Amino acid sequence: MKRIAAHILVLSTLWLTAVCTYAGPPPASQSAQALYRQALAEQAAGNPKKAIQTAAQILAEYWLDETWAPRAELLCATLYIQLDMLDEADVTARQIQKLYDGTDTAKLAARLRLEIQKIREKKEMEGSTQ
Amino acid sequence: MRNFLFKTVRGRVGRFVLLTGFLLAGSRLRAEEAIDFSAFSASGLLGAATQQLSNDEYDAAIPYLTEYMNRMTDSDDPRVKALIQEVRLKLAKISIYLEDPEAAIQYLRDYTQTLPLYKPREALKILAVTLYNEGDYEGCIAAATNALTEPPPQGLPEEKKQVNVEELTADERGGYSVRQLKRIESEYGDDEPEADLSQGFSGEMSDPEPPYTEEERVLIHMTLAEAYSAVDDLQASLPHYQYVMDHAVAEDRRGYAIMQMVDALIRLERANEAERLIIQLSKTDARYDIRVNMAMMSAASALFNQGEYDSALILYRMVLPRGLLIAHQEQKMNDRCRSLNLPEIKVTIVTNQTGRVETMFGRKYAEFSQVSTPQAAAAGQPAMPMDLIEMQEAIATVVALPPYEQDLLFRMGQLYGEEGRPWEAVAAYNGVTRQHPDGDLGLRAFFEMLMVLTDPLKEYERVETTGKRFLETHQDGLAPRQVAYALVAAYQKQERWDAIKQLLPVIRGFVFSDDETVRQYEGELYYMQGIADLMLLNYEAAKDGFEYVLTSYPGSRQQENATYWRAMSLLFLQQYASALEALDDYLEKYPRGDWLAEATFRSAICLFGLEDYEQAKTRFTRVIDSWPDASVYPDACSLRGDLLASEGLLTEAQRDYEEAIATARTARQATYAVFQMTSMFELEKRYDEILAAVDDYLASFGDEADVAKAAYWIGKIKLAQGRVDEAVQAYQEAIVRYGGDVEQDGVDQILSELVVMAKRKLTDEQRNALEQSLGRSLKETDSLTLQLRLRVLLAQIDGTEEDLGRTLLAEVNDLTQAPPPVLGLICDASFEKKDYSRAKDLLRMFQSRYENSEFMRAAFKLRAVELYSTRQYDEALKLIDETQALYGIAPDVAWAQLMKGHILLEQGKFDAARKVFSDVFNVPGWRGDPQAEAAYMLGQTAERSGDLRTAHNWYQRAYFQYKGYADGHWAAEAYLASARCLETLGYSKEALNTYRAMLFDKYVNQLPQAEQARAALGSDVAGEIAQMLIDGIETNLTVTISAEGTDK
């Protein structure tokens, strides 16, 4: 019996180099790393606002980068604290906890949240004594 | 889902569907040929059918099988009955293969309702899937549910008889040889569907139907879950998705089930469970399945709409770009190719000739299909396994998708924005814009980015710079409107109303569009122009602006607001009748509007202004009765109280005031009611009640209370009770208690009151005692602020404040310690000495610390005069706008309007100057000196623009009507200017008469300008006039010229 199975299609050299298009290859991590270093440098230079924009750029371009995206997230949370944007810092840390559940990144985010809480309490105390 | 089911089912029953098209073309022709069935025995029919099946001529087998069933339907022979059932099941499968699901369903239903039932599980499974594919979800649910009970075969003979093909008669063998039947028997059990489909008929009972394999159970559960989902019974779908998640072997299938379950949970609003599953999903290979990625986007969108932003963000962040999906599939394909010793493939990226990215894979796939023919296979070329085909299909699917990466990033921007990660939102939007700067999504992202930069980031400068740059090159479509809208939002946050107004030419320059969304944004922009005018106190322009919105953008969302604010503009213009009409129009058009209480209240104010007190009271009552929670409720109570008090209904008025105080939302509302009530009590000398009311007020509003006013009343009552010393004492106590606080500007009002009291109410002895007491307080205090206040007070009492001002101008270096009255004195001293060196600092001090101080007006004026005198006209105009925004048409800021006119005149903007000066006459509070100056300046404006006749008329008006103002200064100037115009026009005689009139005018003839008239007339005439004046002779000299200048 002639079996009409799946193997009726013939491999052809034509499709071995099948041509297609898409938005482009995934971005190289090198650039993410370079951006991360740049953000750290900006932070060290006392420019947290510039630094957070650079760190956020990593998330916009390399959010799937398993090495640099989590670092950029944590850096953003830290920079929000530096910018005295505590609500934003807490939201960021909370989302990091969820996004990287079960990882060291999530643990660091949890620690950041505790730190944010302490800063808030300190502020409240200062406010009440003034 | 259909794709998923299809792939699964065809693995069992119809794998060749892809090829159906070309396979059927020939066989259907044969099926139409007439067949003489009478030539066939029953077994011959089956034999012929088997022959057709073995040749893959499936539809050609149908007539034989149908004829067999028709012919044998009445047979009681168990073997025949079993054979009929087998034929029925075969026909069902063939029907599916031939894409005739309706027939298949009928055969399967007949099969499952007829005995013997050898293969109920298989039949129910196929029935469930087929019903699902046909959209008969209820039927599918019944069949799948039944299938999952795994019903055993029914109606079988008691003994299983092993068929020995060698013992069969030729008829029983159905045309097959013994050898053929043995071969068929050996192949039976091959679960390849095509083998099953082309299989012949045994006519004997087969082995007991085995239980489902796990793969089959997964299929049925999935089918059932999807059917439940299709009928929106999401709760019922969950356990079946769960089964697939727990038992599916293939990662992608498991992932798909997770995704579907996520979707169901989201629709059931069980976001937390969905989120847990999502994280689980991210750890499976299913994340590389394009269907899962598409489903994730869909689920993320649903979560976004539900406000479950965290979960939505996690989902969006998990969606893989197409590049990664293709790379993953390519890797999988190459792994498989290597295992099959096939050449590896390479997916490459190209663009078309125009450089535009396009999907080429589909075309290559078509080429690939064209060569994929049986002939090619027959030619001995290597065959592609089914799993590779599926992988290629997956890549084709991904490539055929429209680009979604930028949508993804845009959505992430939205989520970051919503959740409070503004800088991440900006970066995401910026990423989209950079990729597609002029694409729809890129433009939208640009707008969203500007909005986030405005709020909450307050990056106003960046918004302004980038927004304006964009508007320089974009005037068409939605984007420029949106960007202008973002700019307006940024300006609004900064209260930069003038900047909003400066956008008007840009907005007017937009290319017309009748697109609904564009019109909406445009309507908003023009509406905000009206609001800006309102804030800048350009009430006339505001009214016009709102009217423009109402007439030009009838579909605007701001119709209601524009209607209300147009009416309010009229009210601010004190056009009470028009405002009342407009407010009534609002109330009629918007019986459920947002401004009902306010509009009713304001309409009562209009009636008040129109002196229709009875109607006003009725409307205040309507507010009080209808909107007890409205913000204007306490105001309505207070104002009705005023009306009642004016009617002598003091008890009723008191009740209203007390209600206003009790419900006051702001200290201002309570302050008004309290002190109106105390004024009323004062008429009846109810001093104790006044003191009680003031005490309650102070207790209730604490720091927000108007302490000065309270102290003023306390002092006043004591004074009225003849307790002058106590009154003075109360004031002194308040000053000493609060005077050290530089921001307690209420104390400064007490200072003013005490000064008045000291000058008018105190005896010399009492005043001396007060001065001594204040002097002691001055010595005792270490507070520089209190010291300064006390020094001002003492200077004002003994009339030496000008000296003090000069002293303080030199002495006070640190303005931060100086309370407003001190700053005010320094301003006055600066004016006097024309020393503007501290004008900027003084104004800044008021603006940053004492924004509500009355003394700030002096600082505005000082700074404006400085700017004007140094010809910094643009800066001066800005300051004037600011002054007018703060103080409106208050009498003591008429200078601002006049200075604006002066500047415009200096700049040669005659029309604008003329309008500004003319507007002075529309403000009742600016009667007197300001109008005298305005009349003269209108003459100046006309004269400088060359219209000497009009100039002459204005000068005449200035010296006729306003000679009594400004010590006759403007009248004197006007006489001289008038004479000058007349001479230039050739009216020398009239010019001399004007000089004469000037010397007869007692308001001006002693002023320095009169010397010019005397010089013009000569000493004789001047002396003659002087003598006439001594003799008491009066003249009525007038000079008249016509507009045309014909009658001198």
Side-chain angles (χ1 to χ4, degrees):
Chain A
M1 180 175 89
K2 186 163 65 178
R3 298 165 71 91
I4 304 174
H7 42 72
I8 54 112
L9 299 176
V10 182
L11 279 175
S12 161
T13 51
L14 279 174
W15 73 270
L16 292 180
T17 54
V19 180
C20 71
T21 61
Y22 55 93
S29 291
Q30 185 59 32
S31 297
Q33 183 181 12
L35 282 171
Y36 186 75
R37 284 182 178 162
Q38 184 186 328
L40 287 181
E42 287 159 348
Q43 184 190 28
N47 194 346
K49 195 197 274 188
K50 185 84 180 68
I52 200 170
Q53 291 177 64
T54 308
Q57 194 186 337
I58 299 173
L59 297 179
E61 294 180 17
Y62 306 100
W63 71 87
L64 290 164
D65 189 309
E66 292 177 3
T67 305
W68 298 106
R71 292 182 192 191
E73 301 251 29
L74 286 168
L75 183 56
C76 279
T78 310
L79 288 164
Y80 274 128
I81 296 174
Q82 277 186 258
L83 289 163
D84 199 26
M85 297 169 77
L86 295 184
D87 289 343
E88 289 80 356
D90 194 49
V91 167
T92 308
R94 190 193 72 218
Q95 291 189 337
I96 295 171
Q97 280 183 291
K98 288 188 176 179
L99 280 164
Y100 304 99
D101 185 36
T103 66
D104 286 346
T105 304
K107 286 177 193 162
L108 287 169
R111 268 192 233 164
L112 268 180
R113 294 192 77 185
L114 283 175
E115 192 183 320
I116 293 162
Q117 183 59 29
K118 280 181 190 166
I119 295 170
R120 278 190 172 138
E121 285 167 6
K122 191 179 168 193
K123 279 192 158 190
E124 276 171 22
M125 279 181 66
E126 285 171 358
S128 63
T129 54
Q130 278 175 0
Chain B
M1 168 63 196
R2 291 188 71 146
N3 193 23
F4 171 80
L5 283 178
F6 169 70
K7 282 173 67 178
T8 313
V9 172
R10 73 183 176 187
R12 300 289 299 165
V13 296
R15 185 167 277 181
F16 327 125
V17 172
L18 278 174
L19 310 168
T20 305
F22 65 82
L23 283 175
L24 294 182
S27 57
R28 277 188 181 148
L29 281 174
R30 286 188 208 106
E32 288 165 8
E33 290 169 6
I35 302 168
D36 181 10
F37 291 120
S38 62
F40 290 85
S41 66
S43 58
L45 289 169
L46 289 180
T50 302
Q51 188 62 38
Q52 298 290 357
L53 292 174
S54 67
N55 290 331
D56 296 332
E57 304 286 359
Y58 301 112
D59 55 349
I62 293 174
Y64 298 103
L65 296 173
T66 309
E67 176 61 21
Y68 176 81
M69 284 180 60
N70 290 339
R71 193 181 295 179
M72 305 304 287
T73 190
D74 294 332
S75 172
D76 290 329
D77 184 328
R79 286 195 305 168
V80 173
K81 284 179 177 290
L83 208 49
I84 290 173
Q85 279 288 73
E86 198 172 344
V87 167
R88 198 170 269 137
L89 188 56
K90 182 74 72 182
L91 280 166
K93 292 177 183 177
I94 292 170
S95 299
I96 290 169
Y97 176 77
L98 296 176
E99 297 184 345
D100 185 1
E102 281 183 25
I105 289 165
Q106 191 54 54
Y107 284 128
L108 288 165
R109 284 201 162 129
D110 290 347
Y111 179 81
T112 54
Q113 289 163 13
T114 308
L115 294 177
L117 190 51
Y118 282 71
K119 296 178 179 174
R121 294 164 192 157
E122 184 182 7
L124 286 168
K125 178 189 73 181
I126 299 170
L127 180 62
V129 172
T130 309
L131 286 167
Y132 179 85
N133 285 336
E134 285 308 295
D136 182 356
Y137 303 120
E138 296 293 352
C140 170
I141 289 167
T145 306
N146 200 359
L148 287 174
T149 64
E150 302 217 17
Q154 296 171 48
L156 307 185
E158 287 178 6
E159 283 183 28
K160 180 179 182 292
K161 183 183 176 185
Q162 181 65 42
V163 177
N164 183 349
V165 293
E166 290 180 356
E167 292 176 359
L168 296 176
T169 64
D171 203 34
E172 285 169 338
R173 291 200 300 273
Y176 286 97
S177 68
V178 171
R179 192 174 160 195
Q180 279 175 315
L181 285 176
K182 281 188 173 178
R183 182 175 60 78
I184 290 167
E185 200 174 53
S186 72
E187 289 180 356
Y188 197 81
D190 178 352
D191 71 351
E192 284 297 316
E194 57 276 20
D196 185 28
L197 198 60
S198 56
Q199 191 73 46
F201 300 91
S202 72
E204 295 295 344
M205 80 182 180
S206 56
D207 290 335
E209 187 179 32
Y212 288 130
T213 63
E214 197 56 82
E215 189 184 355
E216 287 175 314
R217 284 198 196 94
V218 165
L219 167 68
I220 298 166
H221 276 287
M222 192 69 188
T223 308
L224 187 50
E226 293 285 85
Y228 275 130
S229 181
V231 296
D232 279 333
D233 191 351
L234 301 172
Q235 188 63 41
S237 74
L238 295 179
H240 301 289
Y241 284 129
Q242 185 70 51
Y243 187 92
V244 180
M245 282 165 49
D246 293 342
H247 295 87
V249 177
E251 278 280 286
D252 61 342
R253 193 155 299 169
R254 195 165 148 260
Y256 183 80
I258 295 175
M259 201 56 247
Q260 290 298 92
M261 188 144 169
V262 166
D263 187 50
L265 288 169
I266 289 168
R267 287 161 68 189
L268 288 166
E269 299 192 357
R270 289 159 62 176
N272 288 341
E273 291 168 70
E275 191 183 302
R276 278 198 294 277
L277 278 176
I278 290 162
I279 291 165
Q280 195 178 331
L281 182 69
S282 70
K283 293 168 183 168
T284 73
D285 261 2
R287 66 185 305 214
Y288 292 102
D289 185 322
I290 183 59
R291 293 163 301 162
V292 169
N293 278 273
M294 294 298 100
M296 278 199 289
M297 277 198 273
S298 167
S301 176
L303 284 168
F304 182 89
N305 292 334
Q306 285 176 19
E308 298 287 347
Y309 299 129
D310 273 4
S311 305
L313 180 65
I314 290 172
L315 265 181
Y316 278 123
R317 293 264 310 243
M318 280 171 51
V319 176
L320 299 178
R322 289 180 307 159
L324 279 181
L325 292 176
I326 290 170
H328 179 80
Q329 292 295 339
E330 184 185 288
Q331 178 67 37
K332 268 176 70 176
M333 286 183 79
N334 283 330
D335 288 346
R336 182 74 176 122
C337 284
R338 278 192 292 276
S339 72
L340 295 169
N341 287 324
L342 292 172
E344 292 188 15
I345 65 147
K346 176 66 186 164
V347 178
T348 57
I349 312 158
V350 296
T351 54
N352 66 10
Q353 287 176 342
T354 61
R356 184 182 160 190
V357 173
E358 65 173 14
T359 300
M360 298 292 289
F361 196 92
R363 194 192 309 160
K364 298 308 294 182
Y365 185 71
E367 288 173 16
F368 161 72
S369 298
Q370 284 165 13
V371 299
S372 305
T373 61
Q375 289 73 18
Q381 289 175 276
M384 179 195 269
M386 194 62 203
D387 57 344
L388 268 179
I389 294 173
E390 288 176 353
M391 287 181 201
Q392 191 186 14
E393 282 175 23
I395 291 183
T397 307
V398 177
V399 171
L401 280 174
Y404 59 79
E405 291 82 358
Q406 298 307 313
D407 288 296
L408 210 58
L409 194 53
F410 182 83
R411 277 292 197 172
M412 279 193 243
Q414 285 183 304
L415 283 164
Y416 285 132
E418 289 288 345
E419 275 290 72
R421 296 177 65 179
W423 281 117
E424 289 90 334
V426 168
Y429 288 136
N430 201 28
V432 178
T433 303
R434 276 209 314 269
Q435 289 284 331
H436 304 288
D438 283 318
D440 284 347
L441 198 63
L443 291 169
R444 200 175 149 205
F446 181 64
F447 164 61
E448 296 291 347
M449 181 181 75
L450 293 181
M451 294 302 283
V452 176
L453 285 169
T454 298
D455 184 17
L457 289 173
K458 298 188 174 72
E459 293 287 322
Y460 300 129
E461 202 175 320
R462 185 167 161 188
V463 172
E464 186 168 17
T465 308
T466 50
K468 279 188 168 175
R469 195 185 305 138
F470 179 90
L471 289 176
E472 284 171 8
T473 52
H474 296 74
Q475 287 86 36
D476 198 3
L478 179 61
R481 273 84 171 180
Q482 287 185 317
V483 171
Y485 183 83
L487 275 173
V488 167
Y491 292 144
Q492 194 179 357
K493 288 268 177 194
Q494 302 168 82
E495 299 186 1
R496 286 180 56 193
W497 309 108
D498 53 342
I500 293 177
K501 288 305 300 174
Q502 284 165 20
L503 275 178
L504 184 57
V506 177
I507 298 166
R508 283 184 175 151
F510 289 153
V511 177
F512 174 79
S513 168
D514 56 5
D515 177 85
E516 182 60 27
T517 311
V518 170
R519 300 286 294 168
Q520 279 295 341
Y521 271 97
E522 209 165 274
E524 295 282 337
L525 291 171
Y526 280 109
Y527 172 73
M528 282 311 299
Q529 287 293 316
I531 294 291
D533 277 323
L534 209 55
M535 299 306 289
L536 291 166
L537 311 181
N538 299 329
Y539 301 130
E540 195 71 41
K543 181 196 70 149
D544 293 344
F546 294 128
E547 279 172 6
Y548 183 69
V549 173
L550 291 170
T551 53
S552 302
Y553 298 91
S556 163
R557 283 183 293 245
Q558 298 294 357
Q559 283 284 301
E560 182 191 339
N561 287 333
T563 306
Y564 175 72
W565 287 112
R566 176 184 168 273
M568 288 298 290
S569 303
L570 289 164
L571 178 56
F572 293 140
L573 286 165
Q574 300 180 11
Q575 296 176 16
Y576 297 121
S578 303
L580 179 62
E581 192 181 334
L583 286 163
D584 283 345
D585 179 50
Y586 172 87
L587 292 167
E588 190 184 328
K589 274 187 186 162
Y590 301 100
R592 297 177 198 281
D594 291 337
W595 300 98
L596 285 186
E598 286 79 1
T600 308
F601 175 74
R602 305 292 173 197
S603 70
I605 298 278
C606 290
L607 289 161
F608 202 104
L610 292 166
E611 299 181 5
D612 186 348
Y613 301 123
E614 202 52 45
Q615 278 297 314
K617 195 166 68 181
T618 303
R619 297 218 181 184
F620 286 134
T621 302
R622 191 184 304 163
V623 175
I624 292 163
D625 291 345
S626 307
W627 297 288
D629 296 326
S631 62
V632 292
Y633 174 82
D635 295 316
C637 291
S638 287
L639 292 179
R640 189 176 70 175
D642 287 349
L643 289 171
L644 291 167
S646 70
E647 292 171 21
L649 300 169
L650 303 188
T651 306
E652 290 81 353
Q654 182 180 345
R655 196 159 50 225
D656 273 354
Y657 289 136
E658 285 171 347
E659 175 69 4
I661 295 163
T663 58
R665 294 180 172 204
T666 64
R668 179 197 62 77
Q669 288 177 322
T671 301
Y672 182 84
V674 166
F675 295 111
Q676 286 295 97
M677 189 169 72
T678 52
S679 299
M680 187 181 77
F681 288 160
E682 191 186 17
L683 297 173
E684 295 183 316
K685 300 183 178 175
R686 293 157 66 179
Y687 301 133
D688 290 341
E689 287 173 81
I690 291 173
L691 292 175
V694 173
D695 282 347
D696 283 349
Y697 165 71
L698 288 171
S700 300
F701 288 92
D703 290 344
E704 290 180 74
D706 189 335
V707 176
K709 214 160 193 173
Y712 163 79
W713 271 98
I714 292 168
K716 190 173 184 180
I717 296 310
K718 289 180 190 290
L719 199 63
Q721 290 171 330
R723 295 145 66 187
V724 176
D725 291 340
E726 285 182 42
V728 172
Q729 186 64 29
Y731 282 148
Q732 271 191 278
E733 280 176 12
I735 292 166
V736 172
R737 186 172 172 190
Y738 301 108
D741 180 355
V742 73
E743 293 183 359
Q744 184 56 269
D745 55 352
V747 173
D748 300 322
Q749 293 176 343
I750 296 177
L751 297 185
S752 303
E753 287 301 320
L754 195 53
V755 169
V756 172
M757 190 192 288
K759 288 181 175 175
R760 295 182 187 170
K761 303 275 183 185
L762 301 186
T763 62
D764 289 347
E765 189 182 343
Q766 285 172 319
R767 188 166 48 251
N768 288 336
L770 171 63
E771 285 179 313
Q772 284 176 10
S773 177
L774 291 171
R776 277 195 300 277
S777 297
L778 178 61
K779 283 181 187 168
E780 286 168 6
T781 182
D782 294 331
S783 164
L784 177 61
T785 303
L786 181 56
Q787 285 173 2
L788 288 169
R789 277 190 166 125
L790 290 169
R791 286 172 70 188
V792 169
L793 177 57
L794 285 165
Q796 286 175 331
I797 290 172
D798 64 18
T800 58
E801 62 265 38
E802 287 183 10
D803 294 337
L804 180 64
R806 284 190 289 273
T807 306
L808 293 175
L809 178 63
E811 178 189 312
V812 179
N813 293 320
D814 180 8
L815 295 176
T816 60
Q817 296 300 310
V822 174
L823 296 173
L825 273 189
I826 294 174
C827 284
D828 293 342
S830 299
F831 264 123
E832 187 194 334
K833 294 185 74 177
K834 295 190 175 170
D835 176 357
Y836 304 120
S837 58
R838 303 179 81 176
K840 193 173 180 180
D841 290 341
L842 283 162
L843 179 60
R844 190 183 299 148
M845 188 56 56
F846 274 109
Q847 286 177 319
S848 60
R849 289 172 172 245
Y850 315 114
E851 209 175 14
N852 296 320
S853 169
E854 286 299 303
F855 293 99
M856 185 162 73
R857 298 163 190 234
F860 266 110
K861 188 174 178 182
L862 183 69
R863 173 70 174 150
V865 170
E866 180 204 1
L867 292 169
Y868 177 69
S869 63
T870 53
R871 303 179 67 85
Q872 298 179 62
Y873 293 144
D874 289 344
E875 286 298 308
L877 283 173
K878 277 186 194 170
L879 195 64
I880 287 166
D881 285 346
E882 206 175 329
T883 306
Q884 292 188 319
L886 274 175
Y887 303 113
I889 52 176
D892 58 351
V893 290
W895 63 264
Q897 182 78 0
L898 291 165
M899 188 182 284
K900 187 193 281 188
H902 279 281
I903 291 171
L904 292 168
L905 186 56
E906 289 295 321
Q907 293 175 331
K909 297 173 181 172
F910 300 122
D911 288 343
R914 189 177 301 115
K915 179 165 189 336
V916 167
F917 287 127
S918 298
D919 283 347
V920 173
F921 295 94
N922 296 329
V923 181
W926 290 348
R927 288 189 185 121
D929 291 3
Q931 290 184 356
E933 183 177 346
Y936 173 77
M937 289 310 299
L938 280 164
Q940 283 275 296
T941 306
E943 186 180 353
R944 288 208 209 174
S945 64
D947 184 356
L948 297 182
R949 290 174 190 283
T950 304
H952 166 75
N953 288 339
W954 276 112
Y955 290 139
Q956 264 197 329
R957 186 171 166 185
Y959 66 69
F960 273 136
Q961 278 184 253
Y962 300 105
K963 63 177 72 176
Y965 298 107
D967 296 328
H969 172 80
W970 298 112
E973 291 290 336
Y975 272 116
L976 298 179
S978 179
R980 184 171 65 237
C981 288
L982 290 167
E983 279 185 25
T984 308
L985 287 166
Y987 297 97
S988 303
K989 184 181 160 193
E990 284 76 4
L992 291 173
N993 278 340
T994 301
Y995 289 131
R996 284 192 188 95
M998 183 178 184
L999 294 183
F1000 275 108
D1001 191 337
K1002 63 183 177 181
Y1003 287 95
V1004 299
N1005 60 12
Q1006 299 305 312
L1007 296 178
Q1009 292 93 328
E1011 289 308 314
Q1012 196 175 328
R1014 288 190 186 96
L1017 291 169
S1019 56
D1020 290 348
V1021 176
E1024 191 180 325
I1025 293 170
Q1027 188 56 51
M1028 289 171 79
L1029 286 170
I1030 292 167
D1031 296 341
I1033 298 169
E1034 292 184 359
T1035 67
N1036 192 20
L1037 275 172
T1038 55
V1039 176
T1040 307
I1041 58 169
S1042 73
E1044 291 76 25
T1046 51
D1047 53 338
K1048 289 187 183 177

